[in-house]
Amino acid sequence: EGLKTGPYTYLVKHAVFLAVGLVAGLVLTRIELRVLESWSKLALIIGGLLLVAVLVPGVGRRINGAQRWIYLGPIGFQAVEMVKLILIVWLASYMARYRDALQNTFWAVFKPLAVVALMFGLLLLQPDFGSAVLLGAVAMGMLWLGGANLVWLGLPMLAAVPLVAYVALSESYRVRRLISFTDPWEHAFDSGFQLTQALIAI
């Protein structure tokens, strides 16, 4: 009971998560890349299903106005955190398999962007605009570094800019976050709280 409300609550929780993460990391280092690549498609499907499951009443849990959490007994996790890793592994595998096609065919560039667009839509339903934009930026960055044709990569990106801008400005709380980003200390205990705490931590 003391761990729930005591002065070391977050230290203990962080230590537990760190230990679990280190063990998981050690296990992953023993897995060969070809094995990860062979499982990447299935992992992508599982990631998509997790994003859908979050939206199902009784499966996903709403906290602070956003339905992002899935609980397995006492353990809760945000599906998008797993999806971020899955997307990176799948994209890396995809680019390795279609390296030449990424430079020569529009469809090879469009396919991963369509996958990300689907995830983007599912994340907006939660809503989780920040993670949606992050996934899009990661995908664009990886495809660019992977040698994708810049014209075919740039056209969908330009088409997405008005949509992203509209979504960003369509909710007042998102606008407040954008404004607070320019001077987080002025909103240190409101919309700029997370950013100021991150700066303090750094």
Side-chain angles (χ1 to χ4, degrees), residues 102-126:
L102 283 170
Q103 299 175 2
N104 300 315
T105 63
F106 175 74
W107 172 247
V109 179
F110 178 77
K111 181 180 176 181
L113 293 180
V115 170
V116 174
L118 179 60
M119 291 182 171
F120 192 98
L122 290 172
L123 286 169
L124 290 183
L125 293 175
Q126 295 184 8

Side-chain angles (χ1 to χ4, degrees), residues 78-202:
Q78 291 190 55
V80 69
E81 299 303 331
M82 190 176 297
V83 170
K84 290 174 185 176
L85 295 174
I86 289 173
L87 181 65
I88 290 171
V89 171
W90 177 76
L91 264 178
S93 171
Y94 179 87
M95 291 189 297
R97 287 180 281 118
Y98 297 99
R99 181 176 303 171
D100 295 333
L102 283 170
Q103 299 175 2
N104 300 315
T105 63
F106 175 74
W107 172 247
V109 179
F110 178 77
K111 181 180 176 181
L113 293 180
V115 170
V116 174
L118 179 60
M119 291 182 171
F120 192 98
L122 290 172
L123 286 169
L124 290 183
L125 293 175
Q126 295 184 8
D128 191 352
F129 179 69
S131 292
V133 171
L134 179 61
L135 286 185
V138 167
M140 290 288 187
M142 289 184 67
L143 288 168
W144 174 62
L145 291 172
N149 186 296
L150 292 182
V151 174
W152 292 331
L153 184 61
L155 289 176
M157 185 165 60
L158 288 175
V161 168
L163 173 63
V164 173
Y166 170 76
V167 173
L169 300 175
S170 62
E171 295 288 347
S172 59
Y173 74 91
R174 291 180 188 144
V175 174
R176 287 197 300 271
R177 285 188 177 181
L178 289 172
I179 293 174
S180 67
F181 184 79
T182 60
D183 187 6
W185 299 104
E186 187 178 345
H187 311 275
F189 297 101
D190 187 19
S191 53
F193 181 78
Q194 286 185 322
L195 184 53
T196 55
Q197 295 304 303
L199 292 171
I200 291 170
I202 292 172

